[in-house]
Amino acid sequence: MQDYVQKEFSEQLAQISDETLRKKVVDVCIEALRTGNDGKGWENMDFPFTLLISGVTVSFSDHVRIVTDLASQAADLLEKQRIPINRDILIASAILHDIGKPLEYVKTAEGVITKSKVGNRLRHPVTGAGLAMKHELPYEVVQNIYQHSWEGDKGPGRTVEGEIIHRCDFLHYGPLKISMENK
Ligand SMILES: [Fe+2]
């Protein structure tokens, strides 16, 4: 599973300069994949990244790569405007922003992806933040995972990196949803 995660996110992980942080990011991914699917685990990250767009074929790993790449490119532009950005925190948080989703979903015997037992109780920002805390990721990363969706609208305020991830997450989700609805 370690080789698989490292290969899936190789370009994104390479942007994290702190080796310890990089390893922790991979460890969190591995634990989510091993304990998700209501404890049965996932063999890969090919399951759909959302249940809110009917007919979506974009996988969880595709979404994580797209959001991380959008965040990285946004950071390039914003840094030119002298907005300070912690790249390690940005990339680690982006790779992990949806890491609660392997716990939130389950694959039924019929092969349908739906909400898991955990997912019916706790949204993925909560379970993802919990996993990140367990693996002693920096508090900024835990905060960014917890606040990447509407939970972050209620404060405390998002970090600069968290605000970028929040926008990039919806920058992928929004246009994709509209394009699918217009098909
Ligand atoms: Fe997301």
Side-chain angles (χ1 to χ4, degrees), residues 72 83 132:
S72 180
I83 295 175

Side-chain angles (χ1 to χ4, degrees), residues 37-178:
N37 196 15
D38 270 346
K40 296 188 289 288
W42 297 96
E43 285 177 12
N44 54 48
M45 297 188 274
D46 294 347
F47 55 87
F49 82 99
T50 180
L51 305 180
L52 303 177
I53 304 176
S54 73
V56 72
T57 54
V58 178
S59 72
F60 173 75
S61 55
D62 279 337
H63 172 70
V64 170
R65 279 190 293 267
I66 291 163
V67 171
T68 307
D69 292 349
L70 283 169
S72 180
Q73 289 175 33
D76 288 344
L77 295 170
L78 294 170
E79 278 179 339
K80 287 180 187 158
Q81 296 297 314
R82 292 175 296 282
I83 295 175
I85 293 161
N86 183 320
R87 290 291 184 139
D88 272 11
I89 295 293
L90 179 77
I91 302 300
S93 304
I95 294 173
L96 294 178
H97 83 278
D98 267 347
I99 202 59
K101 285 203 174 176
L103 280 73
E104 192 173 39
Y105 299 164
V106 65
K107 191 174 191 175
T108 67
E110 295 77 34
V112 178
I113 308 291
T114 185
K115 281 275 184 77
S116 66
K117 286 178 192 156
V118 179
N120 278 318
R121 296 276 180 186
L122 299 167
R123 266 171 51 80
H124 64 277
V126 178
T127 48
L131 266 187
M133 276 197 88
K134 182 180 172 187
H135 286 266
E136 300 182 340
L137 272 288
Y139 284 126
E140 293 95 326
V141 174
V142 177
Q143 179 185 354
N144 294 340
I145 295 169
Y146 178 65
Q147 293 188 327
H148 80 270
S149 188
W150 52 256
E151 284 85 350
D153 296 343
K154 296 175 182 173
R158 290 186 177 96
T159 64
V160 167
E161 295 80 10
E163 179 69 14
I164 295 170
I165 292 162
H166 166 62
R167 301 285 173 181
C168 291
D169 189 24
F170 284 90
L171 186 54
H172 180 223
Y173 176 82
L176 176 67
K177 189 171 195 297
I178 293 167

Side-chain angles (χ1 to χ4, degrees), residues 6-67:
Q6 272 168 344
K7 199 171 164 203
E8 284 289 296
F9 298 142
S10 61
E11 285 179 29
Q12 292 72 29
L13 287 165
Q15 296 175 55
I16 300 174
S17 62
D18 182 328
E19 196 178 324
T20 307
L21 179 61
R22 202 184 317 130
K23 184 180 177 305
K24 285 181 180 180
V25 169
V26 173
D27 288 346
V28 171
C29 292
I30 292 168
E31 178 158 356
L33 293 172
R34 284 200 177 135
T35 60
N37 196 15
D38 270 346
K40 296 188 289 288
W42 297 96
E43 285 177 12
N44 54 48
M45 297 188 274
D46 294 347
F47 55 87
F49 82 99
T50 180
L51 305 180
L52 303 177
I53 304 176
S54 73
V56 72
T57 54
V58 178
S59 72
F60 173 75
S61 55
D62 279 337
H63 172 70
V64 170
R65 279 190 293 267
I66 291 163
V67 171

